[in-house]
Amino acid sequence: EKGLHILSVMAESQVELDTITFNTVISACEKVGAWEKALQLFSSMGLRKVMPNAITFNAALSACQKSCVWERALRLVGVMTQSTVTANTLNFSIAISACEKGGEWEQALHLFGMMARCTSE
C-alpha cells in the first residue's frame, strides 16, 4: 500500500514516472501477493507512455506465479512476445513455473517450446 501511495503522490506532484519506478512498485506488489494491483500497474504504464522492459515483465510474471494465476502469466508472455522487449529464459521460466503451480503441464510444455524458439533467435 505504501508503494502505491508513493506512486500516486509522485504522479500528483508531476514527478516523471519511469520504468524503474514502475518496476519497483510492481515488485513490491508481487512480494505481498497483490497480483491484481501489480497487473493494473503494468497496464497503466502504457497510458503513461512508459515502456516496460524485461525486468517489468519478470516482476509481473512473478506476481502471477506466486499467486497461481497461470492464465494471466500466459497473457503476459503473449504481450511480451508482441512487444519490443526481447523475451529471455527467466521470463519463460517464471511463466512455466506459474503453469506448473496451476497443474497446467501442457501449457508449461508449450511455453518451453516457445522459449526454445524465442531465445535462440
Side-chain angles (χ1 to χ4, degrees), residues 7 36 97 120:
L7 191 66
E36 291 169 316
S97 178
S120 66

Side-chain angles (χ1 to χ4, degrees), residues 1-91:
E1 288 294 317
K2 287 184 181 183
L4 297 174
H5 178 70
I6 291 169
L7 191 66
S8 176
V9 169
M10 289 175 71
E12 289 171 9
S13 302
Q14 297 183 351
V15 173
E16 185 176 339
L17 302 177
D18 61 9
T19 304
I20 295 170
T21 306
F22 274 96
N23 290 351
T24 302
V25 180
I26 291 170
S27 286
C29 290
E30 172 259 323
K31 293 200 183 340
V32 297
W35 67 270
E36 291 169 316
K37 186 54 74 176
L39 295 183
Q40 287 174 357
L41 287 166
F42 180 88
S43 295
S44 73
M45 291 177 75
L47 299 173
R48 296 185 177 275
K49 296 182 175 49
V50 178
M51 298 301 297
N53 60 20
I55 296 167
T56 315
F57 280 99
N58 286 346
L61 284 164
S62 289
C64 294
Q65 182 257 346
K66 287 187 177 173
S67 298
C68 299
V69 286
W70 62 271
E71 304 98 330
R72 299 296 179 101
L74 290 178
R75 284 190 210 146
L76 278 172
V77 169
V79 169
M80 182 177 49
T81 59
Q82 298 299 312
S83 75
T84 59
V85 175
T86 302
N88 62 43
T89 304
L90 183 57
N91 302 132

